[in-house]
Amino acid sequence: MVDIHSHILPMVDDGARSWEMAVEMVKMAELDGVTRMVATPHANYEYEYNRESHTALLAELQSKVGNGIELILGCDFHLSLDNVEDALKNPGRYTIGSTRHLLIELSDLVVSSQIPNVLSTLMAKQMIPILTHPERNPLLQRQPEHVEDWAEMGMLVQVTASAVSGKWGKGVQKLAHWYAEKGLVHVLASDAHSTSHRRPGLSEARKVFGKSFGESYATAVVEINPMAIVQNQPFPEM
């Protein structure tokens, strides 16, 4: 399996708080069956994103955990004006590895009417936006049809694995399943932040997803699609 969203870099955001925790999180993912894991430190008003220093940290983490799992650098990219302007000038600074795929996170306070224009602008620069955890966004919970509209433009959707299995509550789980029923879940990812409450791992959600929506769809969202993302390849037909 491939996990494209995790906060495993130590002491750079609200994820791993130490090297020991970072190593343990990666090992937990590996034991769960993850073979590639994307470290996605936040880029927002609270946490500075520095591609160069994050790259060095990731290399050190890789050396500590060994070669049983491949670590790749990405970003949990807050869709702010400053970030978007910088990404347009430097398209490869925030994407997953050397791919065109960009994880985007929306504000919990406002859903701007300009989002379709922003998505179009990013895609015109050959970036492919992947919306993270819309099922957990309080505004999108009330207006999930926005996600459907944006997906029709070419945006991809990443749902939190633990939301599918009910760990964020029944309402969030119901919405995550609604997205799946609509065919809007392109990827499941852990969004892991620690070794306890927000743990790494995809296998439990894969089982739930497979039981509800079929094994082929479950395989697509934890293996085939995320592998295509990290390899910068188009998705096969779902």
Side-chain angles (χ1 to χ4, degrees):
M1 297 181 291
V2 178
D3 188 353
I4 68 164
H5 187 175
S6 69
H7 296 265
I8 52 175
L9 285 188
M11 299 168 289
V12 299
D13 61 8
D14 57 344
R17 296 188 299 274
S18 64
W19 278 108
E20 291 77 12
M21 179 177 286
V23 169
E24 186 177 353
M25 288 173 71
V26 175
K27 288 299 185 180
M28 289 172 69
E30 184 179 355
L31 287 171
D32 193 61
V34 173
T35 59
R36 288 173 174 83
M37 191 173 195
V38 183
T40 55
H42 286 290
N44 58 26
Y45 295 120
E46 186 174 1
Y47 300 108
E48 179 185 0
Y49 183 87
N50 186 306
R51 188 80 172 192
E52 291 72 26
S53 65
H54 290 341
T55 297
L57 276 177
L58 190 69
E60 186 172 353
L61 181 57
Q62 184 77 74
S63 71
K64 290 178 181 293
V65 300
N67 297 322
I69 184 170
E70 179 185 354
L71 304 181
I72 302 163
L73 184 61
C75 177
D76 198 353
F77 182 86
H78 184 70
L79 205 67
S80 65
L81 178 61
D82 289 346
N83 273 358
V84 171
E85 288 180 346
D86 192 47
L88 293 174
K89 294 174 186 174
N90 305 283
R93 178 172 292 171
Y94 302 98
T95 54
I96 293 174
S98 57
T99 77
R100 299 181 297 144
H101 296 90
L102 176 70
L103 289 181
I104 61 170
E105 180 179 37
L106 301 188
S107 168
D108 289 344
L109 302 176
V110 63
V111 175
S112 171
S113 61
Q114 293 302 308
I115 288 176
N117 293 334
V118 173
L119 295 175
S120 294
T121 302
L122 292 171
M123 288 187 281
K125 281 287 190 177
Q126 305 303 310
M127 285 178 274
I128 302 173
I130 306 172
L131 179 63
T132 65
H133 51 70
E135 76 287 350
R136 289 165 37 205
N137 183 292
L139 300 178
L140 292 179
Q141 286 170 355
R142 298 195 291 271
Q143 297 176 306
E145 64 277 0
H146 283 317
V147 177
E148 195 168 11
D149 294 339
W150 302 333
E152 289 179 1
M153 298 175 58
M155 182 195 75
L156 303 177
V157 178
Q158 175 256 300
V159 163
T160 313
S162 56
V164 169
S165 50
K167 290 186 171 57
W168 291 84
K170 291 296 184 182
V172 171
Q173 182 183 37
K174 182 178 179 180
L175 186 53
H177 284 225
W178 181 86
Y179 285 125
E181 289 163 3
K182 294 281 187 178
L184 294 173
V185 178
H186 301 103
V187 187
L188 291 183
S190 70
D191 192 8
H193 277 66
S194 72
T195 55
S196 54
H197 174 57
R198 298 173 67 175
R199 299 160 53 92
L202 301 174
S203 62
E204 181 182 357
R206 178 183 186 159
K207 291 176 184 177
V208 173
F209 202 94
K211 184 175 181 180
S212 298
F213 307 108
E215 288 301 321
S216 61
Y217 196 2
T219 298
V221 297
V222 298
E223 290 186 28
I224 297 170
N225 293 351
M227 182 66 79
I229 287 170
V230 300
Q231 294 182 339
N232 210 30
Q233 299 294 322
F235 286 5
E237 292 294 327
M238 290 178 64

PDB file of all heavy atoms in Angstrom, residues 1 9 29 44 47 53 67 71 76-77 80 83 89 105 107 126 160 164 166 180 201 203 207-208 215 217 226-227 230:
ATOM      1  N   MET A   1       0.832  -1.189   0.000  1.00  0.00           N
ATOM      2  CA  MET A   1       0.000   0.000   0.000  1.00  0.00           C
ATOM      3  C   MET A   1       0.877   1.253   0.000  1.00  0.00           C
ATOM      4  O   MET A   1       2.038   1.198   0.394  1.00  0.00           O
ATOM      5  CB  MET A   1      -0.925  -0.001   1.221  1.00  0.00           C
ATOM      6  CG  MET A   1      -1.929  -1.166   1.248  1.00  0.00           C
ATOM      7  SD  MET A   1      -3.036  -1.130   2.691  1.00  0.00           S
ATOM      8  CE  MET A   1      -1.858  -1.500   3.993  1.00  0.00           C
ATOM      9  N   LEU A   9       7.743  13.771   9.696  1.00  0.00           N
ATOM     10  CA  LEU A   9       8.991  14.491   9.951  1.00  0.00           C
ATOM     11  C   LEU A   9       8.980  15.048  11.377  1.00  0.00           C
ATOM     12  O   LEU A   9       8.001  15.664  11.803  1.00  0.00           O
ATOM     13  CB  LEU A   9       9.171  15.631   8.959  1.00  0.00           C
ATOM     14  CG  LEU A   9       9.574  15.265   7.531  1.00  0.00           C
ATOM     15  CD1 LEU A   9       9.907  16.523   6.746  1.00  0.00           C
ATOM     16  CD2 LEU A   9      10.752  14.298   7.506  1.00  0.00           C
ATOM     17  N   ALA A  29       3.698   1.979  10.052  1.00  0.00           N
ATOM     18  CA  ALA A  29       3.159   1.945   8.688  1.00  0.00           C
ATOM     19  C   ALA A  29       3.714   0.754   7.924  1.00  0.00           C
ATOM     20  O   ALA A  29       2.977   0.040   7.221  1.00  0.00           O
ATOM     21  CB  ALA A  29       3.488   3.249   7.964  1.00  0.00           C
ATOM     22  N   ASN A  44       1.524  26.488   6.127  1.00  0.00           N
ATOM     23  CA  ASN A  44       0.400  27.370   6.457  1.00  0.00           C
ATOM     24  C   ASN A  44       0.911  28.551   7.276  1.00  0.00           C
ATOM     25  O   ASN A  44       2.117  28.764   7.390  1.00  0.00           O
ATOM     26  CB  ASN A  44      -0.713  26.602   7.184  1.00  0.00           C
ATOM     27  CG  ASN A  44      -0.241  25.932   8.458  1.00  0.00           C
ATOM     28  OD1 ASN A  44       0.724  26.365   9.091  1.00  0.00           O
ATOM     29  ND2 ASN A  44      -0.925  24.866   8.852  1.00  0.00           N
ATOM     30  N   TYR A  47       3.052  27.092  10.319  1.00  0.00           N
ATOM     31  CA  TYR A  47       4.261  26.302  10.101  1.00  0.00           C
ATOM     32  C   TYR A  47       4.907  26.664   8.765  1.00  0.00           C
ATOM     33  O   TYR A  47       4.266  26.602   7.716  1.00  0.00           O
ATOM     34  CB  TYR A  47       3.938  24.812  10.123  1.00  0.00           C
ATOM     35  CG  TYR A  47       3.328  24.342  11.425  1.00  0.00           C
ATOM     36  CD1 TYR A  47       1.983  23.998  11.491  1.00  0.00           C
ATOM     37  CD2 TYR A  47       4.096  24.255  12.582  1.00  0.00           C
ATOM     38  CE1 TYR A  47       1.416  23.574  12.679  1.00  0.00           C
ATOM     39  CE2 TYR A  47       3.536  23.831  13.782  1.00  0.00           C
ATOM     40  CZ  TYR A  47       2.199  23.496  13.827  1.00  0.00           C
ATOM     41  OH  TYR A  47       1.646  23.079  15.008  1.00  0.00           O
ATOM     42  N   SER A  53      15.407  22.008   3.880  1.00  0.00           N
ATOM     43  CA  SER A  53      15.643  21.411   5.203  1.00  0.00           C
ATOM     44  C   SER A  53      14.766  20.175   5.410  1.00  0.00           C
ATOM     45  O   SER A  53      15.200  19.200   6.035  1.00  0.00           O
ATOM     46  CB  SER A  53      15.395  22.437   6.308  1.00  0.00           C
ATOM     47  OG  SER A  53      14.034  22.829   6.358  1.00  0.00           O
ATOM     48  N   ASN A  67      15.582   0.481   4.476  1.00  0.00           N
ATOM     49  CA  ASN A  67      15.043   0.513   3.123  1.00  0.00           C
ATOM     50  C   ASN A  67      13.793  -0.334   2.928  1.00  0.00           C
ATOM     51  O   ASN A  67      13.382  -0.580   1.789  1.00  0.00           O
ATOM     52  CB  ASN A  67      16.122   0.071   2.128  1.00  0.00           C
ATOM     53  CG  ASN A  67      17.307   1.021   2.118  1.00  0.00           C
ATOM     54  OD1 ASN A  67      17.137   2.235   2.219  1.00  0.00           O
ATOM     55  ND2 ASN A  67      18.521   0.471   2.046  1.00  0.00           N
ATOM     56  N   LEU A  71      10.501   6.521   1.624  1.00  0.00           N
ATOM     57  CA  LEU A  71       9.946   7.792   2.079  1.00  0.00           C
ATOM     58  C   LEU A  71      10.100   8.847   0.983  1.00  0.00           C
ATOM     59  O   LEU A  71      11.159   8.948   0.359  1.00  0.00           O
ATOM     60  CB  LEU A  71      10.633   8.250   3.359  1.00  0.00           C
ATOM     61  CG  LEU A  71      10.601   7.262   4.532  1.00  0.00           C
ATOM     62  CD1 LEU A  71      11.302   7.866   5.747  1.00  0.00           C
ATOM     63  CD2 LEU A  71       9.175   6.858   4.870  1.00  0.00           C
ATOM     64  N   ASP A  76       1.557  19.345   2.950  1.00  0.00           N
ATOM     65  CA  ASP A  76       0.152  19.586   3.270  1.00  0.00           C
ATOM     66  C   ASP A  76      -0.062  21.087   3.049  1.00  0.00           C
ATOM     67  O   ASP A  76       0.157  21.902   3.929  1.00  0.00           O
ATOM     68  CB  ASP A  76      -0.120  19.186   4.721  1.00  0.00           C
ATOM     69  CG  ASP A  76      -1.597  18.988   5.008  1.00  0.00           C
ATOM     70  OD1 ASP A  76      -2.424  19.295   4.130  1.00  0.00           O
ATOM     71  OD2 ASP A  76      -1.930  18.526   6.122  1.00  0.00           O
ATOM     72  N   PHE A  77      -0.496  21.417   1.839  1.00  0.00           N
ATOM     73  CA  PHE A  77      -0.442  22.778   1.298  1.00  0.00           C
ATOM     74  C   PHE A  77      -1.743  23.518   1.582  1.00  0.00           C
ATOM     75  O   PHE A  77      -2.796  23.193   1.028  1.00  0.00           O
ATOM     76  CB  PHE A  77      -0.203  22.665  -0.210  1.00  0.00           C
ATOM     77  CG  PHE A  77      -0.073  23.957  -0.961  1.00  0.00           C
ATOM     78  CD1 PHE A  77       1.153  24.588  -1.056  1.00  0.00           C
ATOM     79  CD2 PHE A  77      -1.162  24.521  -1.608  1.00  0.00           C
ATOM     80  CE1 PHE A  77       1.289  25.764  -1.785  1.00  0.00           C
ATOM     81  CE2 PHE A  77      -1.041  25.690  -2.333  1.00  0.00           C
ATOM     82  CZ  PHE A  77       0.192  26.322  -2.427  1.00  0.00           C
ATOM     83  N   SER A  80      -3.815  29.125   0.550  1.00  0.00           N
ATOM     84  CA  SER A  80      -3.840  30.554   0.841  1.00  0.00           C
ATOM     85  C   SER A  80      -3.264  31.316  -0.345  1.00  0.00           C
ATOM     86  O   SER A  80      -2.568  30.741  -1.195  1.00  0.00           O
ATOM     87  CB  SER A  80      -3.009  30.865   2.083  1.00  0.00           C
ATOM     88  OG  SER A  80      -1.637  30.579   1.843  1.00  0.00           O
ATOM     89  N   ASN A  83       0.618  31.145  -0.492  1.00  0.00           N
ATOM     90  CA  ASN A  83       1.084  29.833  -0.925  1.00  0.00           C
ATOM     91  C   ASN A  83       0.858  29.620  -2.415  1.00  0.00           C
ATOM     92  O   ASN A  83       1.737  29.129  -3.130  1.00  0.00           O
ATOM     93  CB  ASN A  83       0.361  28.732  -0.141  1.00  0.00           C
ATOM     94  CG  ASN A  83       1.047  28.391   1.162  1.00  0.00           C
ATOM     95  OD1 ASN A  83       2.098  28.937   1.484  1.00  0.00           O
ATOM     96  ND2 ASN A  83       0.454  27.485   1.916  1.00  0.00           N
ATOM     97  N   LYS A  89       5.021  30.255  -8.955  1.00  0.00           N
ATOM     98  CA  LYS A  89       6.386  30.622  -9.333  1.00  0.00           C
ATOM     99  C   LYS A  89       7.329  29.419  -9.256  1.00  0.00           C
ATOM    100  O   LYS A  89       8.301  29.336 -10.014  1.00  0.00           O
ATOM    101  CB  LYS A  89       6.908  31.718  -8.403  1.00  0.00           C
ATOM    102  CG  LYS A  89       6.180  33.046  -8.514  1.00  0.00           C
ATOM    103  CD  LYS A  89       6.687  34.020  -7.453  1.00  0.00           C
ATOM    104  CE  LYS A  89       5.884  35.304  -7.439  1.00  0.00           C
ATOM    105  NZ  LYS A  89       6.278  36.202  -6.317  1.00  0.00           N
ATOM    106  N   GLU A 105      -5.144  21.719   1.228  1.00  0.00           N
ATOM    107  CA  GLU A 105      -6.021  21.723   2.400  1.00  0.00           C
ATOM    108  C   GLU A 105      -6.765  23.053   2.443  1.00  0.00           C
ATOM    109  O   GLU A 105      -6.153  24.119   2.334  1.00  0.00           O
ATOM    110  CB  GLU A 105      -5.194  21.550   3.672  1.00  0.00           C
ATOM    111  CG  GLU A 105      -6.032  21.544   4.940  1.00  0.00           C
ATOM    112  CD  GLU A 105      -5.188  21.353   6.185  1.00  0.00           C
ATOM    113  OE1 GLU A 105      -4.059  21.887   6.219  1.00  0.00           O
ATOM    114  OE2 GLU A 105      -5.644  20.675   7.108  1.00  0.00           O
ATOM    115  N   SER A 107      -9.360  25.959   4.247  1.00  0.00           N
ATOM    116  CA  SER A 107      -9.641  26.547   5.545  1.00  0.00           C
ATOM    117  C   SER A 107     -10.920  25.951   6.132  1.00  0.00           C
ATOM    118  O   SER A 107     -11.847  25.602   5.403  1.00  0.00           O
ATOM    119  CB  SER A 107      -9.803  28.061   5.399  1.00  0.00           C
ATOM    120  OG  SER A 107     -10.335  28.628   6.572  1.00  0.00           O
ATOM    121  N   GLN A 126       0.239  22.825 -14.817  1.00  0.00           N
ATOM    122  CA  GLN A 126       0.500  21.383 -14.872  1.00  0.00           C
ATOM    123  C   GLN A 126       0.547  20.725 -13.501  1.00  0.00           C
ATOM    124  O   GLN A 126       1.080  19.617 -13.352  1.00  0.00           O
ATOM    125  CB  GLN A 126       1.805  21.078 -15.633  1.00  0.00           C
ATOM    126  CG  GLN A 126       1.862  21.671 -17.026  1.00  0.00           C
ATOM    127  CD  GLN A 126       0.691  21.221 -17.895  1.00  0.00           C
ATOM    128  OE1 GLN A 126       0.402  20.037 -17.993  1.00  0.00           O
ATOM    129  NE2 GLN A 126      -0.006  22.175 -18.505  1.00  0.00           N
ATOM    130  N   THR A 160      -9.600  10.518   4.573  1.00  0.00           N
ATOM    131  CA  THR A 160      -8.816   9.974   5.686  1.00  0.00           C
ATOM    132  C   THR A 160      -9.210   8.525   5.960  1.00  0.00           C
ATOM    133  O   THR A 160     -10.394   8.202   6.102  1.00  0.00           O
ATOM    134  CB  THR A 160      -9.046  10.797   6.960  1.00  0.00           C
ATOM    135  OG1 THR A 160      -8.950  12.181   6.647  1.00  0.00           O
ATOM    136  CG2 THR A 160      -8.022  10.438   8.013  1.00  0.00           C
ATOM    137  N   VAL A 164     -13.042   6.594   7.337  1.00  0.00           N
ATOM    138  CA  VAL A 164     -13.803   5.501   6.725  1.00  0.00           C
ATOM    139  C   VAL A 164     -14.168   4.453   7.765  1.00  0.00           C
ATOM    140  O   VAL A 164     -15.277   3.891   7.742  1.00  0.00           O
ATOM    141  CB  VAL A 164     -12.985   4.867   5.576  1.00  0.00           C
ATOM    142  CG1 VAL A 164     -13.613   3.568   5.089  1.00  0.00           C
ATOM    143  CG2 VAL A 164     -12.846   5.852   4.419  1.00  0.00           C
ATOM    144  N   GLY A 166     -14.591   4.988  10.954  1.00  0.00           N
ATOM    145  CA  GLY A 166     -15.447   5.509  12.010  1.00  0.00           C
ATOM    146  C   GLY A 166     -14.765   6.204  13.164  1.00  0.00           C
ATOM    147  O   GLY A 166     -15.426   6.600  14.125  1.00  0.00           O
ATOM    148  N   ALA A 180     -17.525   8.016  -1.408  1.00  0.00           N
ATOM    149  CA  ALA A 180     -17.202   6.758  -2.075  1.00  0.00           C
ATOM    150  C   ALA A 180     -18.343   6.298  -2.977  1.00  0.00           C
ATOM    151  O   ALA A 180     -18.116   5.825  -4.100  1.00  0.00           O
ATOM    152  CB  ALA A 180     -16.867   5.684  -1.041  1.00  0.00           C
ATOM    153  N   GLY A 201      -1.198   3.799   9.113  1.00  0.00           N
ATOM    154  CA  GLY A 201      -1.812   2.525   8.762  1.00  0.00           C
ATOM    155  C   GLY A 201      -3.039   2.680   7.888  1.00  0.00           C
ATOM    156  O   GLY A 201      -3.829   3.619   8.075  1.00  0.00           O
ATOM    157  N   SER A 203      -4.590  -0.557   6.574  1.00  0.00           N
ATOM    158  CA  SER A 203      -5.204  -1.866   6.364  1.00  0.00           C
ATOM    159  C   SER A 203      -6.617  -1.965   6.934  1.00  0.00           C
ATOM    160  O   SER A 203      -7.497  -2.582   6.319  1.00  0.00           O
ATOM    161  CB  SER A 203      -4.325  -2.969   6.965  1.00  0.00           C
ATOM    162  OG  SER A 203      -4.184  -2.803   8.365  1.00  0.00           O
ATOM    163  N   LYS A 207     -10.083  -2.736   4.701  1.00  0.00           N
ATOM    164  CA  LYS A 207     -11.061  -3.805   4.928  1.00  0.00           C
ATOM    165  C   LYS A 207     -12.478  -3.260   4.957  1.00  0.00           C
ATOM    166  O   LYS A 207     -13.391  -3.820   4.348  1.00  0.00           O
ATOM    167  CB  LYS A 207     -10.742  -4.532   6.236  1.00  0.00           C
ATOM    168  CG  LYS A 207      -9.474  -5.358   6.195  1.00  0.00           C
ATOM    169  CD  LYS A 207      -9.179  -5.971   7.560  1.00  0.00           C
ATOM    170  CE  LYS A 207      -7.855  -6.719   7.556  1.00  0.00           C
ATOM    171  NZ  LYS A 207      -7.522  -7.250   8.905  1.00  0.00           N
ATOM    172  N   VAL A 208     -12.676  -2.153   5.679  1.00  0.00           N
ATOM    173  CA  VAL A 208     -14.003  -1.536   5.759  1.00  0.00           C
ATOM    174  C   VAL A 208     -14.456  -1.082   4.377  1.00  0.00           C
ATOM    175  O   VAL A 208     -15.593  -1.309   3.966  1.00  0.00           O
ATOM    176  CB  VAL A 208     -13.987  -0.350   6.747  1.00  0.00           C
ATOM    177  CG1 VAL A 208     -15.315   0.405   6.714  1.00  0.00           C
ATOM    178  CG2 VAL A 208     -13.688  -0.825   8.165  1.00  0.00           C
ATOM    179  N   GLU A 215     -13.781  -5.001  -3.371  1.00  0.00           N
ATOM    180  CA  GLU A 215     -12.333  -5.142  -3.242  1.00  0.00           C
ATOM    181  C   GLU A 215     -11.571  -4.396  -4.324  1.00  0.00           C
ATOM    182  O   GLU A 215     -10.483  -3.877  -4.070  1.00  0.00           O
ATOM    183  CB  GLU A 215     -11.952  -6.631  -3.271  1.00  0.00           C
ATOM    184  CG  GLU A 215     -12.332  -7.389  -2.010  1.00  0.00           C
ATOM    185  CD  GLU A 215     -11.668  -6.800  -0.764  1.00  0.00           C
ATOM    186  OE1 GLU A 215     -10.486  -6.392  -0.856  1.00  0.00           O
ATOM    187  OE2 GLU A 215     -12.318  -6.748   0.294  1.00  0.00           O
ATOM    188  N   TYR A 217     -12.332  -1.539  -5.776  1.00  0.00           N
ATOM    189  CA  TYR A 217     -12.281  -0.109  -5.425  1.00  0.00           C
ATOM    190  C   TYR A 217     -11.315   0.104  -4.263  1.00  0.00           C
ATOM    191  O   TYR A 217     -10.519   1.050  -4.259  1.00  0.00           O
ATOM    192  CB  TYR A 217     -13.687   0.377  -5.080  1.00  0.00           C
ATOM    193  CG  TYR A 217     -13.893   1.885  -5.050  1.00  0.00           C
ATOM    194  CD1 TYR A 217     -12.878   2.785  -5.357  1.00  0.00           C
ATOM    195  CD2 TYR A 217     -15.135   2.415  -4.706  1.00  0.00           C
ATOM    196  CE1 TYR A 217     -13.088   4.155  -5.326  1.00  0.00           C
ATOM    197  CE2 TYR A 217     -15.361   3.796  -4.680  1.00  0.00           C
ATOM    198  CZ  TYR A 217     -14.337   4.659  -4.978  1.00  0.00           C
ATOM    199  OH  TYR A 217     -14.549   6.012  -4.949  1.00  0.00           O
ATOM    200  N   PRO A 226      -2.722   5.646  -5.453  1.00  0.00           N
ATOM    201  CA  PRO A 226      -1.596   6.345  -4.823  1.00  0.00           C
ATOM    202  C   PRO A 226      -0.244   5.977  -5.427  1.00  0.00           C
ATOM    203  O   PRO A 226       0.661   6.810  -5.472  1.00  0.00           O
ATOM    204  CB  PRO A 226      -1.700   5.958  -3.351  1.00  0.00           C
ATOM    205  CG  PRO A 226      -2.550   4.732  -3.323  1.00  0.00           C
ATOM    206  CD  PRO A 226      -3.484   4.835  -4.477  1.00  0.00           C
ATOM    207  N   MET A 227      -0.109   4.751  -5.923  1.00  0.00           N
ATOM    208  CA  MET A 227       1.137   4.392  -6.605  1.00  0.00           C
ATOM    209  C   MET A 227       1.289   5.203  -7.886  1.00  0.00           C
ATOM    210  O   MET A 227       2.381   5.690  -8.214  1.00  0.00           O
ATOM    211  CB  MET A 227       1.161   2.898  -6.922  1.00  0.00           C
ATOM    212  CG  MET A 227       2.453   2.444  -7.594  1.00  0.00           C
ATOM    213  SD  MET A 227       3.909   2.596  -6.513  1.00  0.00           S
ATOM    214  CE  MET A 227       3.672   1.119  -5.494  1.00  0.00           C
ATOM    215  N   VAL A 230       2.536   8.760  -6.863  1.00  0.00           N
ATOM    216  CA  VAL A 230       3.956   8.917  -6.522  1.00  0.00           C
ATOM    217  C   VAL A 230       4.858   8.632  -7.710  1.00  0.00           C
ATOM    218  O   VAL A 230       6.017   9.082  -7.744  1.00  0.00           O
ATOM    219  CB  VAL A 230       4.359   8.049  -5.307  1.00  0.00           C
ATOM    220  CG1 VAL A 230       3.553   8.438  -4.079  1.00  0.00           C
ATOM    221  CG2 VAL A 230       4.233   6.565  -5.602  1.00  0.00           C
TER     222      VAL A 230
END
